[in-house]
Amino acid sequence: MNKKYNVGIIGATGMVGQRFATLLDGHPWFNVVCLAASSRSAGKSYEDAVGKKWCMDVEIPSAMKDIVVMDATNDIEKIASMVDFVFCAVDMKKDEIKALEEEYAKHECPVVSNNSAHRFTPDVPMVVPELNPQHIEVIADQRKRLGTKRGFVAVKSNCSLQSYVPAIFPVHAKYPVKDVLVCTYQAISGAGKTFDTWPEMIDNVIPYIGGEEEKSEKEPLKLLGKVENGVIKSADKPSFTAQCIRVPVSNGHLGAVFMRFEDGAKPSKEEIIEIWDSFKGRAQELELPSAPKKFLNYFVEDDRPQVNSERMLENGMAVSIGRLREDTQYDYKFVCLSHNTLRGAAGGAVLLAELLAAEGYMD
């Protein structure tokens, strides 16, 4: 792509906002010209606004240190005039986030959001670029509702879904899956925390993550849905049930999945592994800058994948799978892993923005 897009990060001081900053530093298509956060940070340099809250394992990008942070809610018109689109990762109430993102869109500024507020707005696409890129077609109908020419909102799905749904999706397309049970073991960065800020998590497991199980059961059905009459209608099947657990890991969400097929649809273990091994999505076809060369990676070793060795596979944008075997109650069980703040959060949003740019939605 010859064109370079000027972009902003809304919610730039939080953990996901910081991750956006590191991923966009030197990006071949996107140039960060604007950083915005709450009124508490507005008017300060990015370096001063973040201060001791910086929690990435690399330094603040030098090109962004001296950018003066703008007010995310009060400077919308000015921000929209500076950028081609924005990434959004704000920490606000859900209704406030929905209103804020639509306000940017109505100022003809497309929004690529990491937030959950719009995930079930019927004409807002929730996209994993390898799985359901066709859902971006609904943007034309969203623009009609909002009365915009360029502006729209697009979102990525919940971070925990990125570990297990990509493994189920291509198998279900060929051999219909009836029931899925998943237990997720989720890193503390999914809560925007580190061990320094959440010492209670050291040597601890918390068997509850607010709202996570509902997302894990509902969001896969929207990803599997179809665009009909200007909205995305969620699929009826498979049936998902989930239990989500917080574990003392810095980064990396792991899922333990149990899968039952429709009667007569059960494939062999070898057929499932072949589907995973050969799968490529639209992100790979377009050779998007952030796309992993190989999206799904199956490991034959009994003790893989592991968080420490696999979470950074393909710069943290690939999904690792292992331990596929027959089950006594379901048909098969397996484990899978993804990096929750890369593939699952900011990296997934950057990849979505690349897809939207490549398909002409940012022009």
Side-chain angles (χ1 to χ4, degrees):
M1 180 178 289
N2 294 324
K3 181 172 181 178
K4 192 93 169 181
Y5 295 87
N6 288 330
V7 307
I9 304 172
I10 311 302
T13 58
M15 179 176 283
V16 176
Q18 293 175 27
R19 182 66 79 180
F20 273 126
T22 62
L23 291 176
L24 294 171
D25 185 34
H27 191 281
W29 295 3
F30 306 148
N31 177 44
V32 177
V33 298
C34 172
L35 300 170
S38 70
S39 58
R40 297 188 303 275
S41 298
K44 300 177 183 177
S45 70
Y46 186 50
E47 185 174 31
D48 288 341
V50 173
K52 295 181 179 179
K53 293 187 297 181
W54 184 259
C55 57
M56 298 293 104
D57 52 6
V58 296
E59 292 185 358
I60 299 174
S62 58
M64 301 181 205
K65 283 184 178 180
D66 296 326
I67 292 179
V68 176
V69 177
M70 301 179 72
D71 190 314
T73 57
N74 294 318
D75 292 333
I76 295 175
E77 185 172 354
K78 185 175 181 180
I79 292 169
S81 71
M82 297 170 60
V83 301
D84 293 301
F85 68 92
V86 296
F87 293 97
C88 188
V90 294
D91 183 12
M92 299 165 63
K93 294 178 181 178
K94 188 168 290 189
D95 288 345
E96 295 173 344
I97 294 172
K98 290 181 74 171
L100 181 71
E101 292 179 344
E102 288 202 355
E103 191 64 27
Y104 274 94
K106 288 176 180 177
H107 277 78
E108 301 295 357
C109 179
V111 178
V112 180
S113 179
N114 183 73
N115 298 105
S116 65
H118 271 295
R119 287 182 190 157
F120 284 97
T121 303
D123 59 9
V124 171
M126 180 178 70
V127 176
V128 177
E130 287 88 351
L131 305 185
N132 61 327
Q134 72 280 6
H135 282 191
I136 62 176
E137 298 169 7
V138 81
I139 287 172
D141 295 281
Q142 184 193 147
R143 282 171 168 162
K144 291 177 183 177
R145 174 176 64 84
L146 295 175
T148 62
K149 294 180 179 180
R150 287 190 70 250
F152 65 85
V153 180
V155 302
K156 52 155 288 298
S157 65
N158 181 263
C159 56
S160 66
L161 269 65
Q162 309 289 331
S163 62
Y164 63 92
V165 172
I168 296 167
F169 202 101
V171 176
H172 177 68
K174 191 169 184 180
Y175 301 99
V177 176
K178 182 180 180 181
D179 300 305
V180 175
L181 183 154
V182 60
C183 294
T184 61
Y185 303 88
Q186 301 185 205
I188 64 172
S189 56
K193 303 286 188 179
T194 66
F195 287 116
D196 288 336
T197 59
W198 202 2
E200 297 85 357
M201 273 306 304
I202 297 173
D203 193 31
N204 194 18
V205 169
I206 298 177
Y208 173 73
I209 305 173
E212 200 75 3
E213 288 161 2
E214 294 84 352
K215 296 173 187 175
S216 299
E217 294 171 356
K218 289 179 62 180
E219 288 187 22
L221 296 175
K222 184 172 182 179
L223 292 175
L224 287 160
K226 295 181 179 180
V227 177
E228 296 181 7
N229 301 317
V231 298
I232 299 168
K233 292 191 175 179
S234 295
D236 296 324
K237 296 179 181 180
S239 172
F240 284 83
T241 185
Q243 184 146 285
C244 302
I245 300 168
R246 189 73 71 192
V247 294
V249 169
S250 58
N251 293 295
H253 286 356
L254 186 138
V257 181
F258 298 79
M259 185 166 60
R260 181 183 294 121
F261 291 88
E262 296 283 359
D263 293 343
K266 180 181 176 181
S268 68
K269 177 179 176 180
E270 291 72 22
E271 286 172 318
I272 294 174
I273 293 174
E274 171 57 27
I275 289 171
W276 289 335
D277 189 58
S278 62
F279 181 71
K280 291 183 178 181
R282 184 64 173 154
Q284 285 71 42
E285 292 172 6
L286 292 171
E287 297 182 344
L288 300 177
S290 298
K293 295 289 188 296
K294 188 172 178 56
F295 182 38
L296 305 179
N297 298 264
Y298 185 75
F299 291 82
V300 299
E301 298 90 343
D302 287 338
D303 61 350
R304 304 277 290 281
Q306 294 182 20
V307 170
N308 280 332
S309 54
E310 270 71 64
R311 63 185 167 197
M312 286 303 298
L313 188 65
E314 298 242 26
N315 297 314
M317 292 298 288
V319 174
S320 304
I321 313 168
R323 300 205 71 207
L324 177 67
R325 59 216 190 275
E326 292 198 35
D327 183 58
T328 56
Q329 297 182 24
Y330 286 72
D331 288 325
Y332 288 102
K333 53 190 172 185
F334 59 92
V335 296
C336 39
L337 172 74
S338 66
H339 194 299
N340 57 296
T341 69
L342 290 171
R343 165 55 73 168
V350 171
L351 185 62
L352 172 54
E354 292 169 357
L355 172 69
L356 291 162
E359 301 287 18
Y361 284 86
M362 299 302 192
D363 297 328

